[in-house]
């Protein structure tokens, strides 16, 4: 199964890359862009046929390695 | 780092490989700076789960002394041996310059050769040195004296409350972003970082004599 893990900085945590992207978008003329937050997407191929189990495994991976819960939060989504 | 440890102790430090899964008998474990595993994902994230970190964790749990500098500090936070995390520098730039550090307390093995409030020069070289933790954690570590060093004057990387280094609750694990080991000999341009290493060695020699 394919699982997507999306890791984002928690609300309130300063995001310098997001800010830099926002500045660049303004420079390009996208004047209506407000706050920009930059995260990370990780797609995992899991040798697993049960969607619930695949997602539970990805959640565990998120907690142990893929996200640092001090500063980040994450979501998992079974794609196929 | 090895030079700083050798100069202070007169002994050759033991080099350990990240794939090792045991530690010899040691007075101090040092996680030096540099980069690890490409620092993909987050700085220090993969290294925090390297085989050697199991025994390092056990060593710390038994009350062992651990020092982490720069990437070593990042690894110690990722391993949850120290509170908080290190984010991208607020200004987005890699910082390679000297900073000034203020010593918060001197009743620890790491800071005993300074006075509380002393300010010393330390080189820094990092892209992810912006110390972060939630407000409750910051209040707690400040309240419990776990702040080891703060940036004096300019807070170059935007660290929360200008925190440059922290201790564990038992004051036996210490991590900081700047590099005191790079100023331990007049030939390096100064000896501002030497009190850290001299203090550690004196503590261990006294400890062994007791």
């Amino acid at each position: 199964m394919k699982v997507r893990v999306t890791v984002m900085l928690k609300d309130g945590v300063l995001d310098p890359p997001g800010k830099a992207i926002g500045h660049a978008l303004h420079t390009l003329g996208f004047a209506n862009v407000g706050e920009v937050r930059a995260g990370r997407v990780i797609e995992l191929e899991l040798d697993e046929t049960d969607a619930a189990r695949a997602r539970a495994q990805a959640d565990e991976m998120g907690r142990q390695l893929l996200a640092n819960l001090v500063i980040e939060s994450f979501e998992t989504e079974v794609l196929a | 780092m090895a030079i700083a440890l050798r100069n202070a102790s007169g002994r050759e430090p033991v080099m350990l490989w990240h794939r090792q899964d045991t530690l010899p008998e040691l007075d101090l474990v040092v996680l030096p700076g540099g980069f690890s595993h490409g620092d993909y994902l987050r700085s220090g994230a993969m290294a925090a789960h390297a085989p050697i970190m199991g025994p390092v964790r056990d060593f710390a749990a038994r009350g062992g002394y651990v020092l982490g500098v720069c990437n070593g500090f990042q690894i110690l936070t990722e391993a949850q041996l120290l509170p908080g995390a290190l984010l991208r520098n607020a200004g987005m730039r890699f910082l390679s310059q000297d900073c000034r550090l203020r010593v918060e307390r001197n009743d620890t093995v790491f800071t005993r050769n300074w006075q509380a409030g002393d300010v010393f020069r330390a080189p820094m070289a990092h892209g992810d040195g912006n110390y972060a933790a939630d407000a409750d954690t910051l209040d707690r570590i400040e309240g419990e004296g776990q702040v080891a060093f703060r940036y004096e004057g300019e807070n170059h990387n935007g660290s929360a409350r200008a925190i440059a280094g922290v201790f564990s609750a038992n004051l036996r694990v210490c991590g900081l972003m700047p590099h005191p080991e790079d100023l331990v000999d007049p030939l390096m341009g100064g000896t501002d970082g030497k009190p850290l290493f001299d203090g550690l060695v004196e503590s261990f020699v006294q400890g062994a004599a007791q």
Side-chain angles (χ1 to χ4, degrees):
Chain A
M1 308 215 76
K2 198 168 193 176
V3 184
R4 178 179 291 161
V5 183
T6 306
V7 182
M8 297 295 293
L9 284 172
K10 285 181 180 169
D11 289 342
V13 176
L14 188 72
D15 178 5
K19 218 172 221 174
I21 294 165
H23 282 307
L25 290 172
H26 287 157
T27 306
L28 286 171
F30 296 101
N32 61 347
V33 175
E35 195 189 10
V36 179
R37 307 285 286 172
R40 182 184 291 113
V41 172
I42 300 157
E43 288 186 351
L44 306 162
E45 278 295 347
L46 298 184
D47 186 10
E48 176 62 70
T49 51
D50 181 84
R53 275 207 300 268
R55 188 158 178 207
Q57 279 180 29
D59 282 338
E60 196 48 41
M61 294 176 204
R63 280 190 288 274
Q64 286 192 30
L65 178 69
L66 303 179
N68 178 344
L69 299 181
V70 174
I71 44 169
E72 297 169 325
S73 59
F74 71 94
E75 283 175 15
T76 52
E77 174 191 2
V78 176
L79 299 179
Chain B
M1 182 61 83
I3 292 168
L5 293 166
R6 188 195 305 131
N7 286 358
S9 70
R11 295 190 191 187
E12 204 57 38
V14 182
M15 295 289 176
L16 300 166
W17 186 235
H18 66 104
R19 289 194 206 283
Q20 282 180 236
D21 55 8
T22 56
L23 290 181
E25 201 174 313
L26 297 168
D27 294 313
L28 170 75
V29 171
V30 180
L31 286 78
F35 295 87
S36 51
H37 305 269
D39 281 336
Y40 298 127
L41 208 54
R42 298 173 304 277
S43 292
M46 252 79 79
H49 301 287
I52 192 77
M53 287 306 290
V56 169
R57 217 181 282 271
D58 295 342
F59 179 76
R62 291 196 306 270
Y65 294 102
V66 182
L67 171 67
V69 170
C70 199
N71 197 230
F73 181 24
Q74 294 161 340
I75 294 167
L76 290 174
T77 60
E78 283 285 342
Q80 293 174 26
L81 289 169
L82 287 174
L86 283 311
L87 292 171
R88 186 71 63 87
N89 292 342
M92 288 292 284
R93 299 177 66 136
F94 187 96
L95 294 169
S96 178
Q97 62 187 88
D98 284 355
C99 66
R100 294 192 305 142
L101 294 181
R102 190 169 76 239
V103 178
E104 291 289 304
R105 59 188 293 177
N106 76 335
D107 56 345
T108 77
V109 296
F110 302 97
T111 55
R112 52 181 268 162
N113 280 19
W114 281 293
Q115 298 297 319
D118 276 356
V119 174
F120 66 100
R121 183 166 62 106
M124 52 180 187
H126 60 248
D128 299 330
N130 179 352
Y131 186 78
D134 61 48
D136 287 348
T137 304
L138 292 169
D139 289 344
R140 180 172 54 79
I141 64 174
E142 285 190 325
E144 295 182 2
Q146 284 180 248
V147 177
F149 305 102
R150 285 186 218 258
Y151 297 104
E152 173 75 13
E154 194 183 346
N155 178 5
H156 309 265
N157 53 28
S159 288
R161 303 188 193 180
I163 293 172
V166 295
F167 297 117
S168 59
N170 69 0
L171 305 176
R172 287 168 176 241
V173 181
C174 177
L176 72 163
M177 285 310 300
H179 293 268
E181 76 277 13
D182 286 352
L183 280 181
V184 293
D185 189 306
L187 286 175
M188 295 174 168
T191 56
D192 294 61
K194 208 165 172 295
L196 169 65
F197 299 96
D198 289 345
L200 282 166
V201 169
E202 286 164 21
S203 308
F204 300 139
V205 170
Q206 280 174 10
Q210 278 164 13

